Each structure stands twice: as structure tokens, then as C-alpha cells.
Amino acid sequence: MLIAEPLQRAIDELSKLPSIGRKTALRLALYLLKSEKADVELFVKSLIELKEKIKFCSICSNITVDEICDVCKSRKRDRSIICIVEEASDIIAIERTNEYNGLYHVLGGVLSPLSGKDADSLNIHKLIERVENSEVKEILVALNPDTEGETTTLYLAKLLKPFGIRISRIARGLPIGGDLEFADEATIGRAVLGRVDL
Amino acid sequence: MTIDFIELENFRLHKKTKLKFSKELNYIVGGNGQGKTTILEGIYYLCTTKSLNQSSDIEAVNFDSNFFEVKGKFSDLTTNTARVYYDTEVNKKSIFIDDKQIYRASAVIGKFPVVTLTQSDHAITLGAPSERRKFVDSVISQSSETYLKILLEYNKTLRQRSSLLTQIKEANSKNLFDQLEAWTENLIKNGTEIVKHRLSFISDFNDYLKTAYENIMGEIENPEIEYSFLGECAAGNIENVFEEEIKKRREEELRRATNVVGPHRDDFEFIVNDYSLKKYGSQGQHKTFQIALRFGEFFFLNDKIGRKPVFLMDDIYGELDLFRAGKISDYLGKIGQAFITMTDFTKYDNLKKTENDLLINVKNGIAENA
């Protein structure tokens, strides 16, 4: 079947998005085709604005519209602790908890020689600068508990040790409200090893 | 756990085979190339979704067809039907348990435990160290999900670390040494966990091996598996010796750009009467050892997971003298349900067939209860 060229182009572009296949792309394109022109213009405008207005914070690389992000700007935040995360999306996850009131630092990846990620390609220099030039007393490493995340955590711990500040990592264990019997063995095993005194 | 029946459709030689099984011994008898092992393979597919000898799914399809289907019913405390369907046109395998499609093969693995005793087991005692690691890893993984996860993490660390070593060799950048240290630390951490699991497994498993060996040979020989990590057997010291050795061989690692220290290079020494089986064992001792390993595995898994695995024994009798054939036949009586292929049943007068046992004749892809 021959598809009109503008439609085909829209399908091709949409299917470049993550987790969008050809069929979903077709459905989305047809939906947009049926929508009001004003709505589609609004949609397109929001995407362009996203690209034009969003910047990365010059201090922590968080997503922001200004030079410096809201977290780094805020006077209410605790400036003595920095939480290291892999991506800006992790900040959103931690912020939703309302449990953390310190600052952040986005690494932009983890060490992975196989995919060509080494320490130089991570946002580490700026982190060192921040630790050197501020009143930071603690670094909290919050990376994924997989091989690459673990290794990066170990690497950062070594790197930051000479500064004589507290270096911590997020705990690993069981999900809240979870049933012990339904958790997988490895998670329970880790939780047992990382038990805490009462 | 037992299998009540199996149905094979377009599965190798079997165009359409339906078989009911005994809850005890099932002897599958027929000439060469008639489709005996295929019945075992069908059972193996249901347990693991994979072929016995790691061949691809497409090879299991009958030459005149474009799909195969294997269906069976497992009975334990409750019953489960399992079905594997493979289509050559789309090269896709679908797995169903109780008619519900399962999308992750890992959800099936371990649900129906299986132990196989085949000719290719000779590699475990005669072959390279990797064959022995494969045996040990597969037995521990079946009884401990934690071990399987650590093993996967460790293998990923190995790949990352060797890639980094290659980069260091090519670029010789000082900065990368700090990262190597982090990867080394991770390697030691995960590797130590693996060694500890292996140590405790071997000390457990030796009892099972001895019992199995005794049942096959009588009390005349004393088998054992010896395992140490860099000469160290005490779990508490593993991390230290690992660290020392990897420091010592740093130059070698950098020069060769590979991981030269770690449990991925482990070997397990098989001992009979204080002598190395590999160096001094006779063919017969090798065979007995291989069989004892599998019987040991069966009873080990039975105790660890609290369910009897399915036991598959492919063409083993052909290589045994009458004494051991008789012994094994007795021993099989303790297993519960087992599936045994052989070319000729009448040859072995020692085999004890009870009235609950079943004889299945296979000829040119057609099987029937005798």
C-alpha cells in the first residue's frame, strides 16, 4: 500500500521515539491528522520550546530553564550534602519522595568500558570543584545497584576519600509494604547482609 | 514431581506421538536413530524450553513440517500442563503453562527441575575445567537464585574489566588506572561471593557424591571433589588471597589485557581413593564418577528444593558391565520416576523391572507401550 508522503514522514519520525513501534507510530500520526490544527500547533510549539528553553544547570546539570536550577538556587535546601545520580530523571524520582532536602549532582552516565564510557566522559570534574569550593560535608551516592553502578560508586568513594568528608550510599533492601515471601532471593539476601541495629 | 504424559507433534522423527508414563521407571527401547532420545528431548524441552544438546529449535522440526509442538502434564502437589510450540516461518517459540502464555523463559526454568545423564557427560571428568565449572554452576544455580544473579553480575564485570584492560593497553592513560581499581574491587567482591558459594556447595555435595558412588560400586572406592581458590579453602580468607594474587599479577593482566585471576578460572579436582581421577582413573572409574555426579545432583536438588527432579538417562547401559548395570537398576528404584533409553532390554538380565515400570518401544518415530 502506498502511503501519502507527509503521512509516511510523520510515521517515520514518530517511530524514532523510544518504545514506539511502526503500528503505534501510524496510530499517533492518524490521531494528529484528525486533531484540530490549533492543537497540533500547540503540541509542536511545546516540543520546540522544550528544545529551545531547557538548559542544564551550570552547577549540577539538572534540567532547568535558567542558568542555575531551582534546587541549586533554593535557600531552603541543605547545602552540606550532595546526592550523586546517574541522570536528571533520577532527581525527579528522589524529589517525589520529599525525603531529601540537599543538593544534587548529575553524572550523565556510569562507568562502562564496553560502551566507551570512562571517567572523563562523566560529569566528575565539576563535582570535584564543588566539593573543593563549598561547605559540603557529605556525598550521598544514589546509583543503580547493578555492576556498572556499583563500580562507579566504588570509584567515586576512592576519588572523594582525600577530602575527608562523609561518603554514603543509599541502602538496598525490601520495598515498603512488600511481602517478604514475594521478594526475590537476591534482594532478601542483600537486605539480610545490610541489616540495621534497632 | 512426575510427568503423566507427553505428546509430540512434528518433533524430529515423531510426527504424532502420545505416551502415558509410569510414575516409576520408563524404559524407552529401540534401535539407533529411531527416536528414543527425542522422547527425552521432548521432556527436556518442557522443563527448560531448550534442546538437550544445545541445538537450535529449527533443527527439532520434522523435515516435512513447519512447526513442532510438545505438550505434557506434570504432577506434584497440584498438576500443571506445559506446552512448547515453535513455528519455523516466524522463527518463534511460544511457551504455555496451564494454557497461559509465558513470556520470560526464566519464569519456567527451575519450575520443573530436571537432571540428565547422557554420553556427553564424559566431558565433565575428561574435558577442560570449563566443563566442570559448567556442571557446578548449573547445580548451584538450580538451587539458589542468588547464586545465578551473582554469577551474571560477575560475568558482566569480567567483560567490562577486560574491555578496560584493552583500552589501557592501547592508550596507556594514567587516568584509566583509577577506574581499573574500581572494577578490580567489584570483581573481588562478586568473585568472593561466588567462591564462598562454591566452597559450601562442594562440602555439601561430597556427601551426596559418596552415597551415589557407593550405590553404584559398593563400598570399595572413595570419591571426592576437591576445590580451593588459589590454594585457600577457608571462606574467611578468600577476599585477601584474591586481592593479593590480583596485585601480584597486575603486570600480566595489563600485558595480556585479560582477567587472569578469579573464579572464572577455577577447576575442581575429582579424586578416587586419594588419587586424581584425571591422571590415574580408568575408563570405568570415569564412567562411574560421571554417573555418581548426576545421581548426586538428583538427590542434592531433591533435598534443596524439596521436589523430585525429572531424571533422564540417555543410552548409558550400553557402556556398563553387568555388575554396575544391575547396581544402577537397583539405585533407579530409589529415584522415583526416571526415563531410560537403551537399544536392547533383553541383554541385561540384571535389570529389575517391576510391574509398575513401563517398557516403551520406539521404531521410526512411532512409539508405543509394549
Side-chain angles (χ1 to χ4, degrees):
Chain A
M1 191 183 73
L2 204 64
I3 298 176
E5 202 180 295
L7 179 60
Q8 185 62 55
R9 199 179 306 137
I11 293 170
D12 289 349
E13 288 300 325
L14 285 167
S15 63
K16 284 183 192 168
L17 298 172
S19 75
I20 303 284
R22 307 291 306 177
K23 274 187 189 160
T24 313
L26 173 66
R27 209 164 63 220
L28 291 175
L30 291 174
Y31 170 81
L32 290 170
L33 190 60
K34 275 192 207 157
S35 307
E36 294 290 327
K37 192 165 181 234
D39 287 339
V40 177
E41 274 168 355
L42 208 64
F43 179 63
V44 171
K45 209 173 133 224
S46 73
L47 291 181
I48 289 172
E49 267 187 14
L50 177 74
K51 246 353 236 185
E52 280 175 350
K53 293 206 174 151
I54 290 288
K55 291 179 211 148
F56 294 98
C57 171
S58 61
I59 299 173
C60 72
S61 301
N62 188 11
I63 292 166
T64 173
V65 283
D66 302 318
E67 231 355 76
I68 293 169
C69 76
D70 289 344
V71 176
C72 290
K73 256 192 293 195
S74 169
R75 287 160 167 268
K76 287 185 193 148
R77 312 278 309 199
D78 181 351
R79 301 194 160 261
S80 68
I81 177 167
I82 296 178
C83 173
I84 302 181
V85 293
E86 186 177 334
E87 298 293 347
S89 55
D90 298 325
I91 295 184
I92 298 170
I94 296 175
E95 280 299 291
R96 267 199 306 239
T97 67
N98 278 325
E99 294 287 345
Y100 179 73
N101 193 37
L103 304 177
Y104 290 99
H105 191 85
V106 181
L107 271 191
V110 284
L111 294 177
S112 173
L114 280 172
S115 36
K117 277 265 182 197
D118 61 9
D120 286 338
S121 63
L122 302 180
N123 190 14
I124 289 179
H125 289 297
K126 228 185 261 171
L127 175 70
I128 303 286
E129 268 173 41
R130 288 180 78 183
V131 175
E132 275 173 343
N133 304 324
S134 65
E135 68 263 49
V136 175
K137 293 195 189 76
E138 178 175 353
I139 297 285
L140 166 60
V141 187
L143 300 174
N144 292 328
D146 55 11
T147 306
E148 291 78 14
E150 286 295 295
T151 307
T152 312
T153 303
L154 293 170
Y155 176 75
L156 291 172
K158 274 228 171 72
L159 200 68
L160 297 168
K161 210 169 177 197
F163 294 99
I165 50 174
R166 181 176 178 202
I167 304 162
S168 58
R169 65 177 305 162
I170 49 168
R172 292 179 291 195
L174 295 164
I176 301 279
D179 239 320
L180 198 61
E181 62 176 321
F182 291 126
D184 71 291
E185 261 186 53
T187 304
I188 300 177
R190 292 277 183 218
V192 170
L193 286 176
R195 63 187 178 275
V196 288
D197 291 322
L198 292 173
Chain B
M1 191 186 70
T2 56
I3 301 185
D4 300 346
F5 70 81
I6 197 167
E7 288 177 31
L8 309 172
E9 193 173 349
N10 295 326
F11 191 60
R12 295 199 193 267
L13 261 184
H14 291 262
K15 290 230 164 196
K16 194 140 197 148
T17 294
K18 277 186 172 183
L19 281 173
K20 271 194 177 147
F21 293 132
S22 155
K23 285 194 185 303
E24 294 178 12
L25 303 187
N26 296 275
Y27 291 100
I28 301 166
V29 183
N32 289 320
Q34 303 296 314
K36 301 188 297 293
T37 306
T38 306
I39 295 174
L40 298 192
E41 184 164 34
I43 297 170
Y44 195 79
Y45 252 103
L46 290 179
C47 295
T48 66
T49 78
K50 289 189 183 74
S51 118
L52 254 179
N53 47 8
Q54 277 131 32
S55 60
S56 59
D57 297 321
I58 198 162
E59 288 165 35
V61 179
N62 185 282
F63 287 134
D64 302 330
S65 181
N66 52 15
F67 76 95
F68 77 68
E69 186 178 74
V70 181
K71 217 156 91 182
K73 191 171 118 196
F74 292 93
S75 284
D76 199 16
L77 294 173
T78 149
T79 62
N80 293 110
T81 58
R83 184 157 69 92
V84 177
Y85 179 88
Y86 172 80
D87 191 328
T88 51
E89 315 250 296
V90 285
N91 186 22
K92 192 171 175 285
K93 185 161 56 180
S94 317
I95 300 144
F96 301 85
I97 291 179
D98 297 324
D99 288 324
K100 221 162 62 192
Q101 187 158 6
I102 307 290
Y103 293 96
R104 284 186 314 139
S106 64
V108 182
I109 293 162
K111 191 170 169 63
F112 309 119
V114 59
V115 172
T116 61
L117 172 55
T118 70
Q119 302 274 11
S120 54
D121 284 354
H122 66 85
I124 301 175
T125 64
L126 290 159
S130 62
E131 300 285 347
R132 286 178 282 289
R133 285 196 298 272
K134 206 166 82 189
F135 171 77
V136 169
D137 285 343
S138 103
V139 181
I140 313 180
S141 298
Q142 282 190 75
S143 65
S144 161
E145 203 187 314
T146 311
Y147 183 77
L148 182 62
K149 285 202 172 153
I150 297 172
L151 198 64
L152 294 174
E153 287 284 291
Y154 180 76
N155 288 337
K156 216 162 74 177
T157 310
L158 283 177
R159 285 198 303 277
Q160 292 279 20
R161 193 168 177 274
S162 83
S163 164
L164 183 64
L165 283 165
T166 312
Q167 285 170 30
I168 290 178
K169 194 179 176 182
E170 282 164 4
N172 204 9
S173 137
K174 181 83 185 72
N175 193 9
L176 293 175
F177 281 127
D178 294 345
Q179 291 168 52
L180 179 65
E181 229 172 280
W183 284 106
T184 305
E185 202 173 316
N186 196 352
L187 188 83
I188 293 173
K189 212 181 62 191
N190 280 324
T192 302
E193 285 297 311
I194 289 173
V195 174
K196 283 182 181 168
H197 272 91
R198 285 181 180 171
L199 281 169
S200 99
F201 164 73
I202 294 295
S203 86
D204 260 12
F205 188 71
N206 266 327
D207 291 338
Y208 289 90
L209 179 70
K210 272 190 189 113
T211 311
Y213 209 96
E214 246 172 58
N215 273 288
I216 302 165
M217 279 307 286
E219 266 181 83
I220 34 181
E221 289 183 332
N222 185 24
E224 203 178 0
I225 304 178
E226 267 182 20
Y227 169 61
S228 70
F229 181 71
L230 305 169
E232 182 62 59
C233 305
N237 299 337
I238 297 302
E239 198 164 343
N240 289 336
V241 292
F242 201 158
E243 217 178 318
E244 284 302 310
E245 184 71 10
I246 216 162
K247 249 185 226 157
K248 228 190 288 172
R249 300 181 68 175
R250 187 180 152 101
E251 289 305 315
E252 189 188 347
E253 287 205 307
L254 291 171
R255 181 163 40 82
R256 292 171 53 189
T258 45
N259 301 290
V260 296
V261 189
H264 60 290
R265 310 202 122 206
D266 271 347
D267 198 1
F268 301 85
E269 179 99 65
F270 295 158
I271 309 277
V272 177
N273 296 337
D274 297 330
Y275 289 106
S276 154
L277 178 70
K278 205 167 184 187
K279 285 183 192 142
Y280 305 109
S282 68
Q283 289 297 321
Q285 280 173 324
H286 274 276
K287 193 86 233 166
T288 309
F289 209 101
Q290 289 151 20
I291 296 170
L293 283 174
R294 291 306 187 184
F295 275 94
E297 178 186 358
F298 177 90
F299 288 104
F300 175 81
L301 289 178
N302 183 32
D303 287 355
K304 286 282 166 190
I305 55 188
R307 264 181 308 153
K308 280 194 168 168
V310 175
F311 194 78
L312 309 176
M313 189 164 129
D314 191 20
D315 212 3
I316 295 298
Y317 276 118
E319 296 179 37
L320 294 176
D321 52 74
L322 291 176
F323 173 74
R324 280 183 300 171
K327 280 279 194 188
I328 287 170
S329 175
D330 286 343
Y331 201 17
L332 281 169
K334 296 185 190 167
I335 284 247
Q337 193 184 35
F339 299 85
I340 304 128
T341 66
M342 49 175 48
T343 40
D344 188 359
F345 191 76
T346 54
K347 232 166 71 184
Y348 305 96
D349 298 331
N350 288 15
L351 298 194
K352 294 174 188 72
K353 183 176 166 298
T354 71
E355 55 195 37
N356 290 330
D357 297 342
L358 201 64
L359 199 64
I360 296 161
N361 285 314
V362 185
K363 202 169 179 199
N364 201 13
I366 295 166
E368 51 197 24
N369 298 347

